[in-house]
Amino acid sequence: DGMNVLFILVDDLRPVLGCYGDKLVKSPNIDQLAFQSIVFSNAYAQEAVCAPSRVSFLTGRRPDTTRLYDFYSYWRVHAGNYSTMPQYFKENGYVTLSVGKVFHPGVSSNYSDDYPYSWSIPPFHPSTEKYENDKTCRGKDGKLYANLVCPVDVTEMPSGTLPDIQSTEEAIRLLNVMKTNKQKFFLAVGYHKPHIPLRYPQEFLKLYPLENITLAPDPWVPEKLPSVAYNPWTDIRQRDDVKALNVSFPYGPLPDDFQRQIRQSYYAAVSYLDMQVGLLLNALDDVGLSNSTIVVFTADHGWSLGEHGEWAKYSNFDVATRVPLMFYVPGMTTSSVSQGERVFPYLDPFSHILGLVPQGRSKKVVELVSLFSTLAELAGLQVPPVCPETSFHVALCTEGASIVRYFNVSEEKVKEEKDGCDDTYRCFNEEPVAFSQYPRPADVPQWNSDKPKLKDIRIMGYSMRTIDYRYTVWVQFNPNNFSANFEDVHAGELYMVETDPNQDYNIYNNTSHGCFLKKILG
């Protein structure tokens, strides 16, 4: 009677994973999950910042409908009393459980992670979460700092642990309870890393010798990048180790050696995350539920690692909006497993051998706002209806169509051959599109450019990604009535993916783009 759901959500994780072709990262456990899953290579978040992205995919509505572009409002009060994905599962007989960072804590989820609407029991937060930004990083002088780059000795940490370790332990405990009680569950597990500060057990540094770490392929600010599109990474400038570098605002590049250290620590944090995911999936095997549980793995958005001279999310570039997305569905993405056979044996990142390639991979462009309807369909629940054009008064509907239709990859190949068509302009109406957006307070970088509060938003960048291009227009925005004026375009960007995969050469001004704009307005 229906599958369980294990929803693994990671903070700030771009697809630097072996299963996405990254040659450097050690992510054996996530790669093993990918091997049994359908993996989406082109999945995009709707806004590259935590709270708006999470509220968007957990409600199945876009940021213009949740009216959340910052951290400071609760959609049920501020926009409409929308049902959430876990709430829908709960109403359909599931025990719904939240561990770690699933909803963004604070105002944006009513200081309760939307309990009791979304969850059957109060959400679990690790007790050590409160130390995330404290001075716990030991400097060369032996003193403690609040650094960005922060490998630590876990035994020296408060309570001798780290938040993600605590979340894994609690999630495993809950799996055992669910097994004992024979209850159908929707368990969401939200991991903090690789969100900054890059604080992780120091032994993971051994996996990434500094001499193997390169700079970003494009560590400069692109010449034709409109200034409104740039994010000045103010949150990392407030960390003790970055502050000490006295980097000029807003464009001042970080020293090369420090850029390498950030990249090294991001990778180390990803391997530490991989270990947690491995322990969690191994526990799913231990309780004998791998054959009856759908596993979805994704992130709320990406993170720039020096590309375009940027270090953060807060933009419409692929590095900030593109996320890993994979679905393991027993009997669908993988053949059924006989009782007692292990699907996810734990793999040690320190002694692992590369070589697992995903069985199913889709290049279709998809969006996180589709998660709600996709998981409902996979679990055999009725898929919520598509929202009408304005849906503030509709409690249950979704603005993202289910992507289950893309799961059969062999059919997709046949379909692509049939649809083959060279004329972008003629074809792109049928092409799947991902929409993202990002707010700015002004045309040039300010101290609040990365995270403007609603009242300070003056410009909204609406961005559209297809398989061939990324097109963005920055238009006048009125925060009092949430309206965008597409007659008042402040700047634009157009990047052709095939010739410019890193999005460095903006050709907006040498192209006519009436048809692109039509698509965004459509």
Side-chain angles (χ1 to χ4, degrees), residues 50-99:
C50 305
S53 173
R54 289 161 187 261
V55 167
S56 169
F57 63 71
L58 288 164
T59 60
R61 319 270 183 138
R62 298 180 187 280
D64 280 346
T65 306
T66 64
R67 295 187 159 173
L68 181 69
Y69 312 104
D70 59 14
F71 296 81
Y72 307 106
S73 65
Y74 180 43
W75 78 91
R76 291 186 192 272
V77 174
H78 189 71
N81 191 15
Y82 311 143
S83 296
T84 68
M85 174 166 49
Q87 178 182 356
Y88 189 59
F89 275 82
K90 184 180 166 195
E91 286 162 359
N92 279 281
Y94 281 73
V95 177
T96 56
L97 306 158
S98 173
V99 171

Side-chain angles (χ1 to χ4, degrees), residues 24-40:
L24 189 62
V25 76
K26 308 274 193 298
S27 54
N29 294 289
I30 299 167
D31 298 348
Q32 176 171 254
L33 172 64
F35 175 65
Q36 308 274 11
S37 301
I38 171 92
V39 175
F40 285 88

Side-chain angles (χ1 to χ4, degrees), residues 283 409 463 481:
V409 179
S463 192
N481 61 4

Side-chain angles (χ1 to χ4, degrees), residues 39-283:
V39 175
F40 285 88
S41 322
N42 285 300
Y44 295 91
Q46 276 45 79
E47 190 181 326
V49 68
C50 305
S53 173
R54 289 161 187 261
V55 167
S56 169
F57 63 71
L58 288 164
T59 60
R61 319 270 183 138
R62 298 180 187 280
D64 280 346
T65 306
T66 64
R67 295 187 159 173
L68 181 69
Y69 312 104
D70 59 14
F71 296 81
Y72 307 106
S73 65
Y74 180 43
W75 78 91
R76 291 186 192 272
V77 174
H78 189 71
N81 191 15
Y82 311 143
S83 296
T84 68
M85 174 166 49
Q87 178 182 356
Y88 189 59
F89 275 82
K90 184 180 166 195
E91 286 162 359
N92 279 281
Y94 281 73
V95 177
T96 56
L97 306 158
S98 173
V99 171
K101 186 176 174 181
V102 180
F103 278 102
H104 195 282
V107 185
S108 61
S109 57
N110 203 31
Y111 298 101
S112 64
D113 293 13
D114 197 46
Y115 175 78
Y117 295 102
S118 287
W119 310 108
S120 303
I121 61 172
F124 169 86
H125 282 278
S127 61
T128 59
E129 219 170 48
K130 58 180 174 288
Y131 306 114
E132 267 298 87
N133 296 306
D134 287 9
K135 297 190 173 195
T136 53
C137 322
R138 201 167 290 291
K140 290 197 169 72
D141 57 5
K143 292 188 187 138
L144 292 177
Y145 294 92
N147 285 344
L148 168 65
V149 171
C150 186
V152 296
D153 177 342
V154 177
T155 60
E156 289 181 356
M157 291 301 100
S159 308
T161 187
L162 290 170
D164 286 345
I165 295 172
Q166 289 185 293
S167 290
T168 303
E169 287 164 353
E170 175 64 8
I172 292 171
R173 188 188 74 78
L174 288 171
L175 285 176
N176 281 290
V177 171
M178 290 299 107
K179 187 207 164 137
T180 308
N181 298 356
K182 298 190 169 42
Q183 287 171 299
K184 194 165 59 168
F185 62 84
F186 177 105
L187 168 60
V189 183
Y191 286 114
H192 280 271
K193 292 305 125 190
H195 191 288
I196 64 171
L198 298 168
R199 187 170 71 126
Y200 53 87
Q202 62 200 16
E203 56 270 23
F204 285 91
L205 270 179
K206 289 204 286 274
L207 296 171
Y208 302 102
L210 210 45
E211 59 270 21
N212 295 353
I213 307 293
T214 57
L215 298 181
D218 52 350
W220 63 88
V221 180
E223 198 182 321
K224 291 188 175 168
L225 181 72
S227 54
V228 68
Y230 181 78
N231 74 278
W233 32 280
T234 42
D235 58 353
I236 79 161
R237 292 170 190 271
Q238 286 146 36
R239 311 286 162 169
D240 291 345
D241 49 355
V242 181
K243 240 190 241 166
L245 298 169
N246 266 330
V247 181
S248 67
F249 184 88
Y251 297 109
L254 290 169
D256 286 3
D257 60 337
F258 194 72
Q259 292 194 32
R260 285 194 178 89
Q261 282 176 41
I262 299 176
R263 288 169 67 91
Q264 174 193 39
S265 272
Y266 186 91
Y267 275 108
V270 171
S271 289
Y272 158 58
L273 160 78
D274 182 78
M275 176 183 251
Q276 301 311 312
V277 172
L279 293 168
L280 176 60
L281 291 172
N282 184 61

Side-chain angles (χ1 to χ4, degrees), residues 259-438:
Q259 292 194 32
R260 285 194 178 89
Q261 282 176 41
I262 299 176
R263 288 169 67 91
Q264 174 193 39
S265 272
Y266 186 91
Y267 275 108
V270 171
S271 289
Y272 158 58
L273 160 78
D274 182 78
M275 176 183 251
Q276 301 311 312
V277 172
L279 293 168
L280 176 60
L281 291 172
N282 184 61
L284 192 66
D285 270 355
D286 286 345
V287 293
L289 294 174
S290 301
N291 211 11
S292 52
T293 303
I294 294 163
V295 182
V296 58
F297 177 91
T298 193
D300 53 358
H301 42 70
W303 211 76
S304 305
L305 282 167
E307 294 86 0
H308 314 112
E310 297 180 324
W311 299 91
K313 44 249 185 179
Y314 316 130
S315 84
N316 283 318
F317 284 119
D318 276 21
V319 282
T321 55
R322 184 170 165 244
V323 291
L325 176 63
M326 61 191 78
F327 296 86
Y328 161 79
V329 188
M332 184 180 188
T333 62
T334 182
S335 50
S336 286
V337 184
S338 52
Q339 203 53 45
E341 197 184 329
R342 297 194 79 81
V343 186
F344 303 119
Y346 174 73
L347 302 173
D348 182 354
F350 291 92
S351 58
H352 112 87
I353 296 98
L354 285 164
L356 284 179
V357 179
Q359 295 190 339
R361 187 187 287 285
S362 173
K363 290 198 169 128
K364 289 286 188 204
V365 171
V366 297
E367 309 176 280
L368 290 186
V369 75
S370 293
L371 278 171
F372 189 161
S373 43
T374 304
L375 278 173
E377 183 175 344
L378 289 173
L381 306 180
Q382 195 165 355
V383 177
V386 174
C387 291
E389 188 136 340
T390 52
S391 61
F392 296 111
H393 303 295
V394 184
L396 179 66
C397 69
T398 161
E399 294 178 338
S402 166
I403 58 173
V404 174
R405 64 191 187 281
Y406 298 148
F407 277 37
N408 192 329
V409 179
S410 56
E411 272 173 34
E412 180 184 313
K413 285 197 187 91
V414 176
K415 189 169 171 349
E416 273 175 358
E417 281 154 27
K418 275 211 305 273
D419 295 351
C421 158
D422 304 323
D423 179 348
T424 310
Y425 297 104
R426 185 159 59 78
C427 269
F428 84 155
N429 287 330
E430 284 68 61
E431 186 70 66
V433 174
F435 294 101
S436 303
Q437 60 191 100
Y438 210 83

